[in-house]
Amino acid sequence: MYSPELLPGRRSVPASPAGEEIPHGTTIVAVSFPGGVVMAGDRRATAGNVIAQRDIEKVFRADEFSAIAIAGTAGIGIEMVRLFQVELEHYEKREGRTLSVEGKANRLATMVRQNLAMAMQGLAVVPLFAGYDEERDGGRIFSYDPAGGRYEERDFHSIGSGSVFARGSLKKLYRADLSAEDAALVCVQALYDAADDDSATGGPDLTRRIFPVVASVTSDGYRRLGEDEVGALAQAVVDGRYDSPGGPTAPLR
């Protein structure tokens, strides 16, 4: 979640009492693999110290070859996603072709920047964008700051309140030769690690059958994994934690 202390000059911003009561969503992870990228998000939204929603969705189809996810103020983030989807569709209909990955990433940066006034009041939205680049035949990941700064990430990235824990897990598990299925498993492992240490991140809920939203983007387009597929991954992760609560270990040498 956005912290006012991170502003240039470390200037503080008055806390918004209303902002504390508005649902916020975290945590999002993305992992690239040869030929594409996988993006996943947990399902919890919090309002202060209260769980506002257990099954919110934070990962969305942006267009046929890209995905977008949001962390931060849920309502504003979802509206930003909807507007972004409409703009990409409008461009495709008008021009007869899809916007380049760079173009999509740049347009999203402008939309984030337009929300800066709200971010200064504590209602920040920070998206994560990923798409398939036909020229590179691979996935690309872009992160943003609340002022609209756009940064391309290598291999993997995570945003949200549990991102520091998820990113540590991703560093441990990432391999350059991951398959699409293994990349999805790495994402679920990372979200589990985030939920293990961050109270705002929800882990797999086997009782209610609430699992992370996991989607892949390849040359075949955007595909959201089915509930059965993600459920099987989540069950495998939970089963493995009985023997190794800290998760899989990486080779030391």
Side-chain angles (χ1 to χ4, degrees), residues 45-233:
T46 58
N49 65 330
V50 177
I51 297 176
Q53 189 172 344
R54 299 181 187 275
D55 60 352
I56 191 172
E57 297 192 5
K58 312 167 192 173
V59 178
F60 306 90
R61 176 187 184 273
D63 68 359
E64 186 178 359
F65 294 103
S66 61
I68 179 175
I70 53 104
T73 308
I76 296 175
I78 292 172
E79 282 301 309
M80 183 181 294
V81 168
R82 289 172 179 164
L83 180 58
F84 187 55
Q85 292 169 330
V86 169
E87 290 200 5
L88 294 185
E89 182 178 358
H90 176 69
Y91 179 90
E92 185 174 353
K93 289 181 177 179
R94 186 185 64 188
E95 301 294 332
R97 61 183 179 86
T98 59
L99 192 61
S100 68
V101 175
E102 288 275 353
K104 297 172 191 176
N106 290 338
R107 178 56 193 149
L108 184 56
T110 300
M111 296 177 68
V112 175
R113 191 173 303 114
Q114 290 171 346
N115 190 58
L116 181 58
M118 298 294 286
M120 296 284 285
Q121 299 178 55
L123 301 176
V125 175
V126 181
L128 189 63
F129 176 73
Y132 171 77
D133 191 323
E134 185 176 4
E135 294 183 0
R136 299 188 184 185
D137 188 27
R140 298 176 67 182
I141 302 170
F142 296 88
S143 66
Y144 301 82
D145 63 34
R150 190 213 75 174
Y151 314 95
E152 183 165 4
E153 307 293 344
R154 292 177 57 87
D155 302 331
F156 57 83
H157 195 64
S158 178
I159 61 172
S161 65
S163 61
V164 63
F165 308 111
R167 205 171 307 162
S169 182
L170 294 173
K171 286 182 179 180
K172 178 177 65 174
L173 299 175
Y174 178 78
R175 304 288 185 274
D177 60 349
L178 289 171
S179 65
E181 182 179 358
D182 286 344
L185 180 59
V186 166
C187 287
V188 176
Q189 290 277 12
L191 289 174
Y192 189 101
D193 282 329
D196 201 29
D197 289 295
D198 174 47
S199 61
T201 304
D205 191 333
L206 302 181
T207 303
R208 298 183 177 89
R209 304 290 295 173
I210 299 175
F211 306 119
V213 174
V214 183
S216 66
V217 185
T218 66
S219 60
D220 294 326
Y222 174 94
R223 174 179 174 265
R224 173 170 168 166
L225 275 63
E227 288 293 310
D228 291 341
E229 293 177 89
V230 182
L233 292 174

